[in-house]
Amino acid sequence: MNFRLTIFNILTFSLLIVLFFSSCNSTKHLSENQYLLRKNSIYINTNNRFLKKSDLLDQLQSYIIQKPNSYFPSIGFGISFPIKLYLYNLKYKKYTIDSNSLFIKNKIVEKPVIYDSSLKNKSKSNIAKYLYNNGYFYANVSDSTIFINKKAYIHYNIETGKKYQINQFAFDIDDTSIAKIIANNVNTFPIQPNKEFSMSLLDEQRSFVTNLLRNNGYFFFTNSNISFLLDTLQIDIKAKKRENLLFKSLNINTNDKNNPINISLKIRNNDDPRSYTTYSIGDIKVYMDFESNADFTDTSLYHLEYEKIHFYYHDYYVNKNVIHKHLFLDKGTFFKQDNYDQTINKLNDLGIFKYIRIFIDADTSINNRNLNCTIVLSPTQKYDLSFNVELSNATTYSLGSALNFNIKNRNVLKGANLLSANLTGGYEYSYNNNLSPNFLEKFYLLSRNISGNINFILPKFILPFPIKGATKSNQPTTTLTVGSSLQDRINYFKLINTVFSINYNWHETEKKQWNVVPAFMNFVSLPYTSDSFKNRLASNSFLEKSYQEAFIEGERINFIYSNQIRNKKTDLFYLKIGIEEAGGLVSGLNKIGILNKNLQYAQYVKFDLEAIKYINYKQSMWAFRTLIGVGMPYGNSSTLPYIKQYFVGGPYSLRGWRARQLGPGAYVSNDSSNVQFIDRTGDIKLECNAEYRYNILQLFGGTIKMNGAIFTDAGNIWMSKSSDKPNTQFLFSQAFNNLAISSGTGIRLDFAGFVILRFDAAFPIKQASANSENTWQIKNIDLFNPTWRANNLIFNFAIGYPF
């Protein structure tokens, strides 16, 4: 046998030795009658073939009180390592004396978890209660404990029995008006026949009914007015016989059917007649610039009445009409809980109040059942000045530094209009590992940038005509933007881009949002180009046309769907679809002689799609993203303008390549100069990302969280038409061959949710190619080879998640 001793073999063998002896060391400080809790196991036995055991196991694990020490994930041979317990035992005497050590508090080290039979019994009771509350009324939970080498292994054995299913849902209501409301909405109730029963479903039904009645004027109706009667025995015998005959005719085993349960919803007023009384909105008072409770009795406050609303103020801080448009409580209408909530949310969205309160005083006299509303608004600071220094990283550069100055006026013209002005200047550096052995000298100046822009956001539509169906519930806003930026690409060119746009944004529903830009304009000019860059353009017709000075006028519409509803935890699906057109209007005006016929303008149509899906687990999540971009020049344009073209690579894209170091298609450049990044653009983009994110540890009471990720990125860019560069045009027959794929892993430091620092390392596993030969690189991966690492491993530092 020929055994070759390598560094990898030595490290692996040493690690196995350390793990073995340290794991034996985990129980050395235990007394004679103490046992280290090593593992909790749950075994489920059920006849329910539709039960997802893995989901139930995840739920039941959370009800076990005593958890074993955390073990490092298995690295092979069935070995796992209690690293935190091992670190604790290294300084056992110190930690036993100082039990408040920061290392213990922040869970960097862990005390040994000593088996406690009383906690085992409580866990068993918790599991039984959970099963009962989820419809397993006759589940049996037993346990056993095995002691091996001073370690305790607990086994929980569960016989689930049949899970109950809702058979009938009836009502017991002693008020005819409420009974009618219930009957009219029964089809929208959470509880429905044939649905699996759980106690949480009853809570959901109770909240639903309470909110329904409060939206119909029953202000004093609460959850305490609702109770449920559960009946698992009184099932109609004849119906049961008919059911059995049907199952037999279909060859279905009736033993597989969940047990039926009848539910009766009972509503009573609990000796409080107000619960069965509807109330309307009475007088509405608004304190526009509330200072203290003394304002309620201060007769010197200014007062005016507008649209049946009484406004009180020290200073006329905001126009009364603005507040009126964001109130959903109207005098004389029935009280609705949704209108109450929406009033608070919409006033808060204006961004000009520190806090908002609504006090309701019920007038319970016999002939006047009104709710008088007092709305208290405390203004926030009108102006906001900020000046900061930024370090950043993006897809177009490795390291950036900038000075940023921003000023905001949150209440221009007393209309809750936001005016913000921003001025930014900075430098961008790129990274080249081959420049120097000195780390700092590997960075070189890529560009200088300075930009300024002004945004004016109004909480309404500014249009010469009304929009049918648009209401204040849609949260309409109008944004006017004007700005200019100078990009100085060192030794190549200076590009000035001046922009103007008008933007309308509104919410169709809570999940659907529209963004319409009826007009945007870009003025792109190149006041300077170096001789080397001019030669570059002269040798590449595509590049030359991309960098022409141009006027871009167009329109854009975006539709956004997101199911991340406020205050509800759910798996997130995000979809954004955008369509952009430029040059159509200018072409029409040019043809009828209104514009100068020598005007250089761009004509193109672009379609963009971004879809993101997050699947959440208890300690981890999956994140998937798909990006599709298609740009088609037409008319007098043969290429997209440079600022509208696509590129890939970098920390927010395909992380196995630097920004603009991939594509288009299977194109391979023989140019080793730094200017080659300019060529790496295209008209079509396809990108797919998959990332598994998991928790590692928390420090300082959860203030800092360390998380990990394993990811794979795939995609490329292409030309929409053939060009003088070979293998760059998109062809369906070559699409898979042209795809580039990279994979890697990363660490993320989350500082209390404010800043997330991300470190990723990735390498190509498939190169883009014009054919199917020699594209996969998996067999060439050699992480322990320094030459391979230097040529293939890409390190990315970034702020925030990639998506």
PDB file of all heavy atoms in Angstrom, residues 431 433 655-658 711 742-745 760-764 767 781-796:
ATOM      1  N   TYR A 431      -9.849  45.694  -7.250  1.00  0.00           N
ATOM      2  CA  TYR A 431      -8.865  44.823  -6.609  1.00  0.00           C
ATOM      3  C   TYR A 431      -8.252  43.903  -7.659  1.00  0.00           C
ATOM      4  O   TYR A 431      -8.953  43.305  -8.470  1.00  0.00           O
ATOM      5  CB  TYR A 431      -9.537  43.995  -5.521  1.00  0.00           C
ATOM      6  CG  TYR A 431      -8.627  43.018  -4.793  1.00  0.00           C
ATOM      7  CD1 TYR A 431      -7.899  43.424  -3.684  1.00  0.00           C
ATOM      8  CD2 TYR A 431      -8.527  41.699  -5.209  1.00  0.00           C
ATOM      9  CE1 TYR A 431      -7.077  42.536  -2.995  1.00  0.00           C
ATOM     10  CE2 TYR A 431      -7.712  40.801  -4.539  1.00  0.00           C
ATOM     11  CZ  TYR A 431      -6.986  41.219  -3.439  1.00  0.00           C
ATOM     12  OH  TYR A 431      -6.176  40.337  -2.777  1.00  0.00           O
ATOM     13  N   ASN A 433      -5.317  40.945  -7.555  1.00  0.00           N
ATOM     14  CA  ASN A 433      -4.419  40.168  -6.705  1.00  0.00           C
ATOM     15  C   ASN A 433      -3.001  40.114  -7.258  1.00  0.00           C
ATOM     16  O   ASN A 433      -2.041  39.862  -6.527  1.00  0.00           O
ATOM     17  CB  ASN A 433      -4.976  38.750  -6.540  1.00  0.00           C
ATOM     18  CG  ASN A 433      -4.231  37.972  -5.471  1.00  0.00           C
ATOM     19  OD1 ASN A 433      -4.111  38.422  -4.339  1.00  0.00           O
ATOM     20  ND2 ASN A 433      -3.708  36.810  -5.850  1.00  0.00           N
ATOM     21  N   ARG A 655     -21.139  35.328  -7.664  1.00  0.00           N
ATOM     22  CA  ARG A 655     -20.031  35.650  -6.771  1.00  0.00           C
ATOM     23  C   ARG A 655     -18.737  34.926  -7.096  1.00  0.00           C
ATOM     24  O   ARG A 655     -17.712  35.171  -6.468  1.00  0.00           O
ATOM     25  CB  ARG A 655     -20.464  35.373  -5.331  1.00  0.00           C
ATOM     26  CG  ARG A 655     -21.372  36.443  -4.770  1.00  0.00           C
ATOM     27  CD  ARG A 655     -22.153  35.983  -3.551  1.00  0.00           C
ATOM     28  NE  ARG A 655     -23.343  35.211  -3.923  1.00  0.00           N
ATOM     29  CZ  ARG A 655     -24.244  34.799  -3.059  1.00  0.00           C
ATOM     30  NH1 ARG A 655     -24.096  35.051  -1.774  1.00  0.00           N
ATOM     31  NH2 ARG A 655     -25.306  34.113  -3.469  1.00  0.00           N
ATOM     32  N   GLY A 656     -18.758  34.032  -8.071  1.00  0.00           N
ATOM     33  CA  GLY A 656     -17.538  33.364  -8.498  1.00  0.00           C
ATOM     34  C   GLY A 656     -16.750  34.163  -9.516  1.00  0.00           C
ATOM     35  O   GLY A 656     -15.683  33.722  -9.970  1.00  0.00           O
ATOM     36  N   TRP A 657     -17.260  35.337  -9.876  1.00  0.00           N
ATOM     37  CA  TRP A 657     -16.575  36.238 -10.802  1.00  0.00           C
ATOM     38  C   TRP A 657     -16.625  37.657 -10.261  1.00  0.00           C
ATOM     39  O   TRP A 657     -17.584  38.046  -9.577  1.00  0.00           O
ATOM     40  CB  TRP A 657     -17.239  36.212 -12.185  1.00  0.00           C
ATOM     41  CG  TRP A 657     -16.967  34.973 -12.956  1.00  0.00           C
ATOM     42  CD1 TRP A 657     -15.975  34.759 -13.864  1.00  0.00           C
ATOM     43  CD2 TRP A 657     -17.703  33.738 -12.902  1.00  0.00           C
ATOM     44  NE1 TRP A 657     -16.039  33.485 -14.370  1.00  0.00           N
ATOM     45  CE2 TRP A 657     -17.097  32.829 -13.788  1.00  0.00           C
ATOM     46  CE3 TRP A 657     -18.809  33.321 -12.167  1.00  0.00           C
ATOM     47  CZ2 TRP A 657     -17.558  31.539 -13.982  1.00  0.00           C
ATOM     48  CZ3 TRP A 657     -19.265  32.035 -12.346  1.00  0.00           C
ATOM     49  CH2 TRP A 657     -18.653  31.158 -13.246  1.00  0.00           C
ATOM     50  N   ARG A 658     -15.607  38.446 -10.589  1.00  0.00           N
ATOM     51  CA  ARG A 658     -15.650  39.857 -10.266  1.00  0.00           C
ATOM     52  C   ARG A 658     -16.677  40.553 -11.155  1.00  0.00           C
ATOM     53  O   ARG A 658     -17.075  40.035 -12.205  1.00  0.00           O
ATOM     54  CB  ARG A 658     -14.270  40.500 -10.484  1.00  0.00           C
ATOM     55  CG  ARG A 658     -13.205  39.991  -9.530  1.00  0.00           C
ATOM     56  CD  ARG A 658     -13.436  40.481  -8.132  1.00  0.00           C
ATOM     57  NE  ARG A 658     -12.443  39.949  -7.193  1.00  0.00           N
ATOM     58  CZ  ARG A 658     -12.555  40.003  -5.896  1.00  0.00           C
ATOM     59  NH1 ARG A 658     -13.633  40.556  -5.365  1.00  0.00           N
ATOM     60  NH2 ARG A 658     -11.624  39.497  -5.109  1.00  0.00           N
ATOM     61  N   PHE A 711     -24.173  28.688  -0.956  1.00  0.00           N
ATOM     62  CA  PHE A 711     -24.912  29.239  -2.092  1.00  0.00           C
ATOM     63  C   PHE A 711     -24.387  28.725  -3.423  1.00  0.00           C
ATOM     64  O   PHE A 711     -23.259  28.245  -3.534  1.00  0.00           O
ATOM     65  CB  PHE A 711     -24.854  30.774  -2.069  1.00  0.00           C
ATOM     66  CG  PHE A 711     -23.453  31.337  -2.082  1.00  0.00           C
ATOM     67  CD1 PHE A 711     -22.754  31.496  -3.267  1.00  0.00           C
ATOM     68  CD2 PHE A 711     -22.843  31.715  -0.892  1.00  0.00           C
ATOM     69  CE1 PHE A 711     -21.477  32.010  -3.278  1.00  0.00           C
ATOM     70  CE2 PHE A 711     -21.560  32.241  -0.884  1.00  0.00           C
ATOM     71  CZ  PHE A 711     -20.866  32.389  -2.080  1.00  0.00           C
ATOM     72  N   SER A 742     -21.325  29.216 -10.282  1.00  0.00           N
ATOM     73  CA  SER A 742     -20.331  29.251  -9.203  1.00  0.00           C
ATOM     74  C   SER A 742     -21.003  28.857  -7.904  1.00  0.00           C
ATOM     75  O   SER A 742     -22.227  28.934  -7.758  1.00  0.00           O
ATOM     76  CB  SER A 742     -19.707  30.645  -9.076  1.00  0.00           C
ATOM     77  OG  SER A 742     -20.680  31.601  -8.692  1.00  0.00           O
ATOM     78  N   SER A 743     -20.205  28.450  -6.960  1.00  0.00           N
ATOM     79  CA  SER A 743     -20.727  28.036  -5.655  1.00  0.00           C
ATOM     80  C   SER A 743     -19.760  28.484  -4.579  1.00  0.00           C
ATOM     81  O   SER A 743     -18.597  28.811  -4.857  1.00  0.00           O
ATOM     82  CB  SER A 743     -20.918  26.516  -5.611  1.00  0.00           C
ATOM     83  OG  SER A 743     -21.615  26.132  -4.449  1.00  0.00           O
ATOM     84  N   GLY A 744     -20.258  28.533  -3.339  1.00  0.00           N
ATOM     85  CA  GLY A 744     -19.372  28.957  -2.260  1.00  0.00           C
ATOM     86  C   GLY A 744     -20.074  28.983  -0.928  1.00  0.00           C
ATOM     87  O   GLY A 744     -21.194  28.485  -0.763  1.00  0.00           O
ATOM     88  N   THR A 745     -19.412  29.586   0.029  1.00  0.00           N
ATOM     89  CA  THR A 745     -19.935  29.690   1.383  1.00  0.00           C
ATOM     90  C   THR A 745     -19.592  31.055   1.942  1.00  0.00           C
ATOM     91  O   THR A 745     -18.725  31.751   1.406  1.00  0.00           O
ATOM     92  CB  THR A 745     -19.361  28.570   2.282  1.00  0.00           C
ATOM     93  OG1 THR A 745     -19.994  28.608   3.558  1.00  0.00           O
ATOM     94  CG2 THR A 745     -17.862  28.748   2.470  1.00  0.00           C
ATOM     95  N   ASP A 760     -18.103  36.471   1.706  1.00  0.00           N
ATOM     96  CA  ASP A 760     -18.381  35.300   0.875  1.00  0.00           C
ATOM     97  C   ASP A 760     -17.124  34.870   0.137  1.00  0.00           C
ATOM     98  O   ASP A 760     -16.313  35.714  -0.292  1.00  0.00           O
ATOM     99  CB  ASP A 760     -19.477  35.595  -0.155  1.00  0.00           C
ATOM    100  CG  ASP A 760     -20.847  35.743   0.479  1.00  0.00           C
ATOM    101  OD1 ASP A 760     -21.057  35.164   1.558  1.00  0.00           O
ATOM    102  OD2 ASP A 760     -21.697  36.445  -0.094  1.00  0.00           O
ATOM    103  N   ALA A 761     -16.973  33.578  -0.020  1.00  0.00           N
ATOM    104  CA  ALA A 761     -15.909  33.005  -0.839  1.00  0.00           C
ATOM    105  C   ALA A 761     -16.558  32.078  -1.851  1.00  0.00           C
ATOM    106  O   ALA A 761     -17.369  31.219  -1.485  1.00  0.00           O
ATOM    107  CB  ALA A 761     -14.898  32.251   0.018  1.00  0.00           C
ATOM    108  N   ALA A 762     -16.239  32.257  -3.131  1.00  0.00           N
ATOM    109  CA  ALA A 762     -16.891  31.472  -4.183  1.00  0.00           C
ATOM    110  C   ALA A 762     -15.882  31.106  -5.260  1.00  0.00           C
ATOM    111  O   ALA A 762     -14.834  31.746  -5.412  1.00  0.00           O
ATOM    112  CB  ALA A 762     -18.056  32.264  -4.788  1.00  0.00           C
ATOM    113  N   PHE A 763     -16.228  30.075  -6.015  1.00  0.00           N
ATOM    114  CA  PHE A 763     -15.359  29.640  -7.111  1.00  0.00           C
ATOM    115  C   PHE A 763     -16.231  29.062  -8.225  1.00  0.00           C
ATOM    116  O   PHE A 763     -17.325  28.534  -7.976  1.00  0.00           O
ATOM    117  CB  PHE A 763     -14.357  28.583  -6.632  1.00  0.00           C
ATOM    118  CG  PHE A 763     -14.974  27.441  -5.893  1.00  0.00           C
ATOM    119  CD1 PHE A 763     -15.460  26.321  -6.557  1.00  0.00           C
ATOM    120  CD2 PHE A 763     -15.083  27.485  -4.502  1.00  0.00           C
ATOM    121  CE1 PHE A 763     -16.040  25.279  -5.873  1.00  0.00           C
ATOM    122  CE2 PHE A 763     -15.669  26.435  -3.807  1.00  0.00           C
ATOM    123  CZ  PHE A 763     -16.137  25.330  -4.489  1.00  0.00           C
ATOM    124  N   PRO A 764     -15.773  29.147  -9.477  1.00  0.00           N
ATOM    125  CA  PRO A 764     -16.555  28.612 -10.599  1.00  0.00           C
ATOM    126  C   PRO A 764     -16.607  27.086 -10.552  1.00  0.00           C
ATOM    127  O   PRO A 764     -15.611  26.428 -10.258  1.00  0.00           O
ATOM    128  CB  PRO A 764     -15.784  29.101 -11.833  1.00  0.00           C
ATOM    129  CG  PRO A 764     -14.890  30.190 -11.338  1.00  0.00           C
ATOM    130  CD  PRO A 764     -14.560  29.844  -9.926  1.00  0.00           C
ATOM    131  N   GLN A 767     -17.873  26.847 -16.384  1.00  0.00           N
ATOM    132  CA  GLN A 767     -17.532  28.015 -17.182  1.00  0.00           C
ATOM    133  C   GLN A 767     -18.490  28.148 -18.359  1.00  0.00           C
ATOM    134  O   GLN A 767     -19.050  27.155 -18.842  1.00  0.00           O
ATOM    135  CB  GLN A 767     -16.095  27.913 -17.702  1.00  0.00           C
ATOM    136  CG  GLN A 767     -15.022  27.904 -16.631  1.00  0.00           C
ATOM    137  CD  GLN A 767     -14.764  29.282 -16.056  1.00  0.00           C
ATOM    138  OE1 GLN A 767     -15.348  30.275 -16.491  1.00  0.00           O
ATOM    139  NE2 GLN A 767     -13.884  29.347 -15.050  1.00  0.00           N
ATOM    140  N   ILE A 781     -11.434  21.023  -8.832  1.00  0.00           N
ATOM    141  CA  ILE A 781     -11.415  21.761  -7.565  1.00  0.00           C
ATOM    142  C   ILE A 781     -10.350  21.179  -6.636  1.00  0.00           C
ATOM    143  O   ILE A 781     -10.309  19.973  -6.399  1.00  0.00           O
ATOM    144  CB  ILE A 781     -12.796  21.711  -6.888  1.00  0.00           C
ATOM    145  CG1 ILE A 781     -13.832  22.438  -7.754  1.00  0.00           C
ATOM    146  CG2 ILE A 781     -12.740  22.339  -5.499  1.00  0.00           C
ATOM    147  CD1 ILE A 781     -15.246  22.311  -7.245  1.00  0.00           C
ATOM    148  N   ASP A 782      -9.492  22.033  -6.126  1.00  0.00           N
ATOM    149  CA  ASP A 782      -8.421  21.613  -5.221  1.00  0.00           C
ATOM    150  C   ASP A 782      -8.195  22.730  -4.200  1.00  0.00           C
ATOM    151  O   ASP A 782      -7.321  23.578  -4.359  1.00  0.00           O
ATOM    152  CB  ASP A 782      -7.144  21.329  -6.012  1.00  0.00           C
ATOM    153  CG  ASP A 782      -6.085  20.645  -5.160  1.00  0.00           C
ATOM    154  OD1 ASP A 782      -6.330  20.486  -3.940  1.00  0.00           O
ATOM    155  OD2 ASP A 782      -5.022  20.284  -5.696  1.00  0.00           O
ATOM    156  N   LEU A 783      -9.015  22.732  -3.154  1.00  0.00           N
ATOM    157  CA  LEU A 783      -8.986  23.825  -2.180  1.00  0.00           C
ATOM    158  C   LEU A 783      -7.649  23.945  -1.463  1.00  0.00           C
ATOM    159  O   LEU A 783      -7.308  25.026  -0.965  1.00  0.00           O
ATOM    160  CB  LEU A 783     -10.104  23.623  -1.151  1.00  0.00           C
ATOM    161  CG  LEU A 783     -11.539  23.786  -1.668  1.00  0.00           C
ATOM    162  CD1 LEU A 783     -12.535  23.400  -0.578  1.00  0.00           C
ATOM    163  CD2 LEU A 783     -11.782  25.219  -2.111  1.00  0.00           C
ATOM    164  N   PHE A 784      -6.876  22.873  -1.393  1.00  0.00           N
ATOM    165  CA  PHE A 784      -5.615  22.902  -0.666  1.00  0.00           C
ATOM    166  C   PHE A 784      -4.437  23.245  -1.564  1.00  0.00           C
ATOM    167  O   PHE A 784      -3.298  23.253  -1.119  1.00  0.00           O
ATOM    168  CB  PHE A 784      -5.377  21.554   0.022  1.00  0.00           C
ATOM    169  CG  PHE A 784      -6.425  21.223   1.047  1.00  0.00           C
ATOM    170  CD1 PHE A 784      -7.504  20.411   0.741  1.00  0.00           C
ATOM    171  CD2 PHE A 784      -6.345  21.765   2.324  1.00  0.00           C
ATOM    172  CE1 PHE A 784      -8.462  20.125   1.687  1.00  0.00           C
ATOM    173  CE2 PHE A 784      -7.311  21.479   3.279  1.00  0.00           C
ATOM    174  CZ  PHE A 784      -8.367  20.664   2.962  1.00  0.00           C
ATOM    175  N   ASN A 785      -4.717  23.562  -2.803  1.00  0.00           N
ATOM    176  CA  ASN A 785      -3.658  23.949  -3.747  1.00  0.00           C
ATOM    177  C   ASN A 785      -3.620  25.465  -3.847  1.00  0.00           C
ATOM    178  O   ASN A 785      -4.577  26.082  -4.308  1.00  0.00           O
ATOM    179  CB  ASN A 785      -3.945  23.332  -5.120  1.00  0.00           C
ATOM    180  CG  ASN A 785      -2.809  23.571  -6.102  1.00  0.00           C
ATOM    181  OD1 ASN A 785      -2.191  24.621  -6.120  1.00  0.00           O
ATOM    182  ND2 ASN A 785      -2.561  22.570  -6.948  1.00  0.00           N
ATOM    183  N   PRO A 786      -2.541  26.122  -3.416  1.00  0.00           N
ATOM    184  CA  PRO A 786      -2.501  27.595  -3.432  1.00  0.00           C
ATOM    185  C   PRO A 786      -2.621  28.177  -4.830  1.00  0.00           C
ATOM    186  O   PRO A 786      -3.176  29.266  -5.008  1.00  0.00           O
ATOM    187  CB  PRO A 786      -1.144  27.917  -2.793  1.00  0.00           C
ATOM    188  CG  PRO A 786      -0.339  26.662  -2.907  1.00  0.00           C
ATOM    189  CD  PRO A 786      -1.311  25.540  -2.860  1.00  0.00           C
ATOM    190  N   THR A 787      -2.105  27.480  -5.828  1.00  0.00           N
ATOM    191  CA  THR A 787      -2.215  27.987  -7.203  1.00  0.00           C
ATOM    192  C   THR A 787      -3.672  27.975  -7.661  1.00  0.00           C
ATOM    193  O   THR A 787      -4.149  28.934  -8.286  1.00  0.00           O
ATOM    194  CB  THR A 787      -1.362  27.127  -8.154  1.00  0.00           C
ATOM    195  OG1 THR A 787      -0.002  27.148  -7.708  1.00  0.00           O
ATOM    196  CG2 THR A 787      -1.453  27.666  -9.581  1.00  0.00           C
ATOM    197  N   TRP A 788      -4.376  26.882  -7.341  1.00  0.00           N
ATOM    198  CA  TRP A 788      -5.795  26.817  -7.710  1.00  0.00           C
ATOM    199  C   TRP A 788      -6.578  27.904  -6.996  1.00  0.00           C
ATOM    200  O   TRP A 788      -7.427  28.559  -7.594  1.00  0.00           O
ATOM    201  CB  TRP A 788      -6.362  25.440  -7.341  1.00  0.00           C
ATOM    202  CG  TRP A 788      -7.803  25.287  -7.725  1.00  0.00           C
ATOM    203  CD1 TRP A 788      -8.306  24.803  -8.893  1.00  0.00           C
ATOM    204  CD2 TRP A 788      -8.940  25.654  -6.919  1.00  0.00           C
ATOM    205  NE1 TRP A 788      -9.675  24.843  -8.895  1.00  0.00           N
ATOM    206  CE2 TRP A 788     -10.100  25.367  -7.697  1.00  0.00           C
ATOM    207  CE3 TRP A 788      -9.093  26.189  -5.657  1.00  0.00           C
ATOM    208  CZ2 TRP A 788     -11.381  25.600  -7.218  1.00  0.00           C
ATOM    209  CZ3 TRP A 788     -10.363  26.429  -5.185  1.00  0.00           C
ATOM    210  CH2 TRP A 788     -11.497  26.140  -5.965  1.00  0.00           C
ATOM    211  N   ARG A 789      -6.298  28.103  -5.699  1.00  0.00           N
ATOM    212  CA  ARG A 789      -7.020  29.136  -4.952  1.00  0.00           C
ATOM    213  C   ARG A 789      -6.769  30.515  -5.537  1.00  0.00           C
ATOM    214  O   ARG A 789      -7.691  31.325  -5.659  1.00  0.00           O
ATOM    215  CB  ARG A 789      -6.610  29.110  -3.469  1.00  0.00           C
ATOM    216  CG  ARG A 789      -7.064  27.875  -2.720  1.00  0.00           C
ATOM    217  CD  ARG A 789      -7.024  28.114  -1.219  1.00  0.00           C
ATOM    218  NE  ARG A 789      -5.703  28.531  -0.759  1.00  0.00           N
ATOM    219  CZ  ARG A 789      -4.753  27.695  -0.354  1.00  0.00           C
ATOM    220  NH1 ARG A 789      -4.974  26.374  -0.382  1.00  0.00           N
ATOM    221  NH2 ARG A 789      -3.591  28.155   0.062  1.00  0.00           N
ATOM    222  N   ALA A 790      -5.547  30.800  -5.913  1.00  0.00           N
ATOM    223  CA  ALA A 790      -5.222  32.122  -6.460  1.00  0.00           C
ATOM    224  C   ALA A 790      -5.937  32.371  -7.780  1.00  0.00           C
ATOM    225  O   ALA A 790      -6.333  33.508  -8.084  1.00  0.00           O
ATOM    226  CB  ALA A 790      -3.704  32.252  -6.644  1.00  0.00           C
ATOM    227  N   ASN A 791      -6.136  31.318  -8.560  1.00  0.00           N
ATOM    228  CA  ASN A 791      -6.749  31.476  -9.888  1.00  0.00           C
ATOM    229  C   ASN A 791      -8.266  31.353  -9.882  1.00  0.00           C
ATOM    230  O   ASN A 791      -8.922  31.788 -10.843  1.00  0.00           O
ATOM    231  CB  ASN A 791      -6.172  30.435 -10.852  1.00  0.00           C
ATOM    232  CG  ASN A 791      -4.698  30.651 -11.134  1.00  0.00           C
ATOM    233  OD1 ASN A 791      -4.208  31.779 -11.080  1.00  0.00           O
ATOM    234  ND2 ASN A 791      -3.984  29.567 -11.414  1.00  0.00           N
ATOM    235  N   ASN A 792      -8.843  30.781  -8.829  1.00  0.00           N
ATOM    236  CA  ASN A 792     -10.267  30.471  -8.876  1.00  0.00           C
ATOM    237  C   ASN A 792     -11.083  31.025  -7.718  1.00  0.00           C
ATOM    238  O   ASN A 792     -12.278  31.309  -7.890  1.00  0.00           O
ATOM    239  CB  ASN A 792     -10.465  28.947  -8.915  1.00  0.00           C
ATOM    240  CG  ASN A 792      -9.929  28.317 -10.175  1.00  0.00           C
ATOM    241  OD1 ASN A 792     -10.619  28.249 -11.189  1.00  0.00           O
ATOM    242  ND2 ASN A 792      -8.685  27.837 -10.115  1.00  0.00           N
ATOM    243  N   LEU A 793     -10.488  31.143  -6.537  1.00  0.00           N
ATOM    244  CA  LEU A 793     -11.254  31.535  -5.365  1.00  0.00           C
ATOM    245  C   LEU A 793     -11.435  33.050  -5.322  1.00  0.00           C
ATOM    246  O   LEU A 793     -10.464  33.810  -5.379  1.00  0.00           O
ATOM    247  CB  LEU A 793     -10.558  31.049  -4.095  1.00  0.00           C
ATOM    248  CG  LEU A 793     -11.416  30.953  -2.825  1.00  0.00           C
ATOM    249  CD1 LEU A 793     -12.589  30.013  -3.048  1.00  0.00           C
ATOM    250  CD2 LEU A 793     -10.565  30.469  -1.655  1.00  0.00           C
ATOM    251  N   ILE A 794     -12.688  33.489  -5.266  1.00  0.00           N
ATOM    252  CA  ILE A 794     -13.025  34.915  -5.235  1.00  0.00           C
ATOM    253  C   ILE A 794     -13.622  35.243  -3.872  1.00  0.00           C
ATOM    254  O   ILE A 794     -14.592  34.622  -3.434  1.00  0.00           O
ATOM    255  CB  ILE A 794     -14.038  35.278  -6.341  1.00  0.00           C
ATOM    256  CG1 ILE A 794     -13.469  34.935  -7.713  1.00  0.00           C
ATOM    257  CG2 ILE A 794     -14.418  36.748  -6.261  1.00  0.00           C
ATOM    258  CD1 ILE A 794     -12.254  35.745  -8.104  1.00  0.00           C
ATOM    259  N   PHE A 795     -13.031  36.228  -3.199  1.00  0.00           N
ATOM    260  CA  PHE A 795     -13.538  36.691  -1.912  1.00  0.00           C
ATOM    261  C   PHE A 795     -14.329  37.976  -2.120  1.00  0.00           C
ATOM    262  O   PHE A 795     -13.904  38.887  -2.824  1.00  0.00           O
ATOM    263  CB  PHE A 795     -12.392  36.929  -0.930  1.00  0.00           C
ATOM    264  CG  PHE A 795     -11.670  35.677  -0.524  1.00  0.00           C
ATOM    265  CD1 PHE A 795     -10.500  35.291  -1.175  1.00  0.00           C
ATOM    266  CD2 PHE A 795     -12.160  34.868   0.491  1.00  0.00           C
ATOM    267  CE1 PHE A 795      -9.835  34.137  -0.809  1.00  0.00           C
ATOM    268  CE2 PHE A 795     -11.502  33.705   0.863  1.00  0.00           C
ATOM    269  CZ  PHE A 795     -10.342  33.335   0.209  1.00  0.00           C
ATOM    270  N   ASN A 796     -15.510  38.022  -1.490  1.00  0.00           N
ATOM    271  CA  ASN A 796     -16.376  39.191  -1.599  1.00  0.00           C
ATOM    272  C   ASN A 796     -16.693  39.729  -0.210  1.00  0.00           C
ATOM    273  O   ASN A 796     -17.060  38.963   0.689  1.00  0.00           O
ATOM    274  CB  ASN A 796     -17.696  38.833  -2.296  1.00  0.00           C
ATOM    275  CG  ASN A 796     -17.500  38.498  -3.756  1.00  0.00           C
ATOM    276  OD1 ASN A 796     -17.238  39.364  -4.569  1.00  0.00           O
ATOM    277  ND2 ASN A 796     -17.615  37.219  -4.094  1.00  0.00           N
TER     278      ASN A 796
END
